Amino acid sequence: MSLVDLDLIRKYSVNGPRYTSYPTALKFADYSPDEFRASIQGSRRQDGPLSLYFHIPFCSTLCYYCACSKIVTRDKAKGARYLDYLFKEMSLLAPLVAGREIRQVHLGGGTPTFLSDDQLDTLMDAARRLFQFGPEVECGIEIDPRTVDVERIHRLRRAGFNRLSMGIQDFEPAVQAAVNRKQGFEETRCVIQAARDVGFDSISVDLIYGLPHQTLATIGNTLRSVIELSPDRISIYNYAHLPDRFPPQKRINVVDLPDAESRLRILKQCIDVLGMAGYRYIGMDHFAKPDDALSIAMDNGTLQRNFQGYSTHAECDMIAMGITGISQVGDSYAQNVKTLEEYEAALDAGELPIAKGLDMTEEDRVRKAVIQALVCRLELRFAEIEQAFGIDFHKHFVVELMALAGLAADGLVQVEPDRIVVTERGRLLIRNVCMVFDEYFRPASTTAYSKAI
């Protein structure tokens, strides 16, 4: 039986958080560099391992659907100048985490391959010099296949990258033309094959459903092509048309978008086809082969959900660098400024470019642990929360357990005396399950969020 029940999806298709953090970024308030330094020094895991994230905001071309933090330019000098300031930020942060082992590095954007090979080499060399890399670091980078060739893939591998992520979105020419992203199957295949030839450990691709001119037939063709490419991980995101928030989306003709019913059927097809092709549904928008590190992390309890989506190494704090980067350290979040001007001004003054953030309350910590267990393990054992936080789960969450009754009646969860289990049908609607435990979520005010499905 398919885990996609269209009637249930219609019932639960409301706006809500993606839970890449709890509390979500909408709760962030003014936060100072001193508060961020204090959070690092006071972290419960202050001697533990770290993940590093570098945000490279530049793109050479504009994809109309994009809601990422990016700067569209062909001026390569901007990349060189940005690197100079990244090095300043790294130099300020490194002493604060001296001695902590780096286990993960990820470059996102924007398009990190906007930078030249030499610039990427310099960035990685600086990171190794300033931070303490462990013996087996996962180093991932997001690429645009249109900006790389086989030689660039070889250079990325020599620079130390061993995980690759790339956007595809859709291979249908009419869809690509409507969103200004023309990308051929063959150029994508060559990049993936080159990455395999030089020993990348994992290759991930992104798709989007709900784009203009998409139909069951066209997405079927794209899925067949993607399965032929055989990536280790596949993410399928729901296109949210919010032109007031993301002006480039105004170039998309709204009448070309599939209606709500068509989107649901497209999503069902994606999940069913990928499942039949052997991909494991991790949750929300992620699929992985059974032997991929993401699947293994889900089984052994080291899966986490953060601002990059699902990730491994739940024990790591994350330090983010570059504009808009969000760090997660202990029980705190800290977000960098959003513009180049603010970023440069702070670093020129010798200060960390922190703008917003929060320190979690004890109640936040409890609810974050609950939500992380649900989204990463699909099971919540009450005893684990009780022992970690000294509470009686049934008394503490009496209202939430009552609210789960409706979800249980619809077969999304099983509520047992000692645990909550998310069912196969409930996986797709896990955001709705998490909303029950979100102290800040208000169904009447959800315009800031995307549709749960």
Side-chain angles (χ1 to χ4, degrees):
M1 181 181 72
S2 170
L3 61 85
V4 183
D5 183 321
L6 292 181
D7 288 334
L8 271 183
I9 292 175
R10 293 184 191 98
K11 178 177 179 179
Y12 287 98
S13 184
V14 298
N15 291 17
R18 300 179 60 84
Y19 294 110
T20 51
S21 72
Y22 184 85
T24 69
L26 289 179
K27 298 302 295 181
F28 291 1
D30 289 344
Y31 203 71
S32 71
D34 284 342
E35 288 175 297
F36 182 44
R37 280 188 283 266
S39 72
I40 294 175
Q41 294 164 357
S43 170
R44 292 176 290 107
R45 300 185 291 201
Q46 60 182 279
D47 297 322
L50 286 173
S51 295
L52 301 180
Y53 173 74
F54 295 94
H55 188 76
I56 312 298
F58 305 106
C59 293
S60 297
T61 58
L62 176 65
C63 300
Y64 298 160
Y65 56 80
C66 185
C68 297
S69 174
K70 76 279 185 185
I71 297 169
V72 180
T73 180
R74 294 183 181 273
D75 183 358
K76 296 296 183 179
K78 290 188 176 181
R81 181 181 176 90
Y82 187 73
L83 274 185
D84 289 340
Y85 282 92
L86 264 183
F87 298 149
K88 290 183 180 182
E89 186 180 11
M90 293 163 66
S91 297
L92 291 174
L93 283 167
L96 302 178
V97 295
R100 298 184 65 172
E101 180 183 296
I102 306 303
R103 293 190 182 169
Q104 283 185 313
V105 178
H106 187 75
L107 271 64
T111 306
T113 46
F114 177 92
L115 301 178
S116 70
D117 293 333
D118 288 343
Q119 288 172 330
L120 289 169
D121 285 343
T122 301
L123 174 58
M124 293 300 291
D125 288 344
R128 291 189 182 91
R129 184 176 67 255
L130 291 167
F131 299 94
Q132 184 177 316
F133 275 43
E136 295 183 2
V137 182
E138 291 184 4
C139 291
I141 183 171
E142 299 171 12
I143 70 165
D144 181 341
R146 302 171 300 171
T147 67
V148 301
D149 54 19
V150 171
E151 177 53 32
R152 287 210 77 182
I153 293 297
H154 284 244
R155 283 287 300 267
L156 290 173
R157 187 68 187 91
R158 290 197 295 271
F161 294 103
N162 50 31
R163 295 183 178 273
L164 203 64
S165 175
M166 68 185 73
I168 290 176
Q169 322 318 344
D170 195 299
F171 277 127
E172 176 66 24
V175 176
Q176 292 185 355
V179 298
N180 197 40
R181 186 186 174 95
K182 295 182 180 180
Q183 177 180 328
F185 172 81
E186 188 59 26
E187 65 182 325
T188 307
R189 186 197 65 78
C190 287
V191 168
I192 290 177
Q193 186 59 54
R196 289 205 175 94
D197 290 343
V198 295
F200 275 81
D201 295 332
S202 180
I203 299 167
S204 174
V205 304
D206 294 343
L207 303 176
I208 298 178
Y209 73 94
L211 293 176
H213 303 300
Q214 273 184 343
T215 65
L216 288 173
T218 64
I219 203 69
N221 292 335
T222 289
L223 290 171
R224 282 189 288 274
S225 296
V226 170
I227 290 168
E228 181 181 340
L229 296 173
S230 191
D232 301 283
R233 304 176 187 177
I234 301 172
S235 299
I236 303 181
Y237 298 106
N238 176 16
Y239 171 64
H241 190 64
L242 302 168
D244 290 338
R245 289 181 60 192
F246 308 109
Q249 293 184 355
K250 293 177 181 178
R251 305 187 189 191
I252 291 177
N253 191 341
V254 68
V255 302
D256 295 332
L257 296 172
D259 60 26
E261 185 68 20
S262 298
R263 290 165 72 104
L264 291 181
R265 295 189 181 280
I266 288 171
L267 174 61
K268 180 179 187 302
Q269 182 179 20
C270 289
I271 294 173
D272 290 346
V273 169
L274 291 179
M276 288 187 290
Y279 285 91
R280 184 180 183 187
Y281 185 43
I282 301 298
M284 293 199 195
D285 35 41
H286 283 52
F287 298 78
K289 290 182 176 179
D291 59 351
D292 183 76
L294 212 58
S295 288
I296 295 170
M298 187 175 188
D299 290 334
N300 65 23
T302 59
L303 188 69
Q304 68 169 333
R305 184 143 176 97
N306 60 27
F307 292 99
Q308 280 76 61
Y310 282 103
S311 178
T312 55
H313 295 300
E315 77 281 10
C316 290
D317 282 338
M318 183 171 69
I319 299 292
M321 286 160 277
I323 62 171
T324 72
I326 303 176
S327 297
Q328 297 178 240
V329 179
D331 299 324
S332 301
Y333 298 104
Q335 183 172 24
N336 279 355
V337 295
K338 295 185 177 181
T339 69
L340 290 177
E341 293 76 15
E342 294 171 300
Y343 185 65
E344 293 177 2
L347 291 166
D348 282 339
E351 191 53 275
L352 291 170
I354 303 297
K356 293 184 176 182
L358 64 79
D359 295 321
M360 281 183 272
T361 66
E362 183 66 8
E363 185 64 19
D364 291 338
R365 291 183 59 220
V366 173
R367 291 175 182 269
K368 177 184 177 182
V370 168
I371 289 171
Q372 280 281 318
L374 290 169
V375 298
C376 294
R377 301 207 311 267
L378 304 174
E379 179 186 46
L380 172 65
R381 294 187 175 274
F382 301 157
E384 293 179 1
I385 302 299
E386 292 174 334
Q387 291 167 10
F389 298 101
I391 64 171
D392 181 313
F393 193 92
H394 287 85
K395 290 182 179 178
H396 196 90
F397 290 110
V398 60
V399 174
E400 288 81 2
L401 289 170
M402 292 174 60
L404 284 178
L407 282 71
D410 284 332
L412 304 185
V413 295
Q414 295 173 354
V415 182
E416 301 174 5
D418 63 341
R419 64 176 184 163
I420 298 167
V421 179
V422 181
T423 67
E424 286 292 310
R425 298 174 82 190
R427 283 187 177 194
L428 190 60
L429 294 162
I430 186 63
R431 290 165 70 178
N432 300 79
V433 180
C434 293
M435 288 175 207
V436 172
F437 292 94
D438 186 340
E439 186 177 33
Y440 304 105
F441 180 71
R442 299 290 182 270
S445 179
T446 61
T447 56
Y449 300 115
S450 62
K451 284 283 189 183
I453 294 294

